[in-house]
Amino acid sequence: MKNNLIVIGGPTGNTVTQELNEYLPIYFDEKVGWSLFSKASGKRYQDDLAGVIIKMDNPFDKEKKILLLAGSRTRGTMAAVMALTKHAEEIFKANNDIISLVVHGLDSDGDGLPDDAKIVE
């Protein structure tokens, strides 16, 4: 836990995400079905296609960083990965040490899986 980490998956499927959850600027609220809650905006995201992209200092070693791609459900995690792969330039353009984004998957072909994603916060 005291290293640079790339973490993929929400707290129900990834124990590292579960350990980091209390430190996240957009955290997973177990009491409300693992919905996403943004500390900055006070908004809650309960859609299965909602995900997060977070880059932050590692709370266990401030010299290290964490990149988290996750959703409450698998489709939300897929949306976060999709957003990062398709929109990396936009996401990392400011070269900030901290990134805290909510993304929403877009299903253009109706198969229930995200084909693209947009940044909503």
Side-chain angles (χ1 to χ4, degrees):
M1 293 296 288
K2 293 183 177 185
N3 291 299
N4 289 314
L5 301 172
I6 297 174
V7 183
I8 300 174
T12 60
N14 189 325
T15 56
V16 175
T17 304
Q18 198 168 40
E19 284 191 50
L20 294 170
N21 194 40
E22 68 182 280
Y23 305 102
L24 299 175
I26 304 165
Y27 68 91
F28 296 88
D29 190 345
E30 181 179 12
K31 295 175 185 170
V32 187
W34 293 108
S35 62
L36 296 169
F37 184 81
S38 171
K39 293 176 184 176
S41 70
K43 291 183 181 177
R44 181 174 305 281
Y45 300 89
Q46 294 180 273
D47 190 304
D48 285 354
L49 287 168
V52 294
I53 300 173
I54 298 172
K55 177 186 169 192
M56 61 183 250
D57 292 335
N58 184 330
F60 304 109
D61 183 343
K62 298 293 185 193
E63 299 292 316
K64 306 295 183 180
K65 298 285 183 201
I66 291 173
L67 177 63
L68 172 70
L69 306 171
S72 301
R73 308 283 179 267
T74 301
R75 293 187 302 162
T77 298
M78 291 173 68
V81 172
M82 187 75 57
L84 183 65
T85 57
K86 289 195 170 194
H87 307 287
E89 189 173 310
E90 178 184 349
I91 291 168
F92 292 114
K93 72 181 174 202
N95 199 23
N96 293 334
D97 282 340
I98 297 175
I99 295 171
S100 178
L101 301 172
V102 176
V103 299
H104 190 268
L106 304 172
D107 178 16
S108 60
D109 61 8
D111 66 356
L113 302 174
D115 317 299
D116 200 351
K118 65 179 178 178
I119 298 167
V120 294
E121 179 182 333

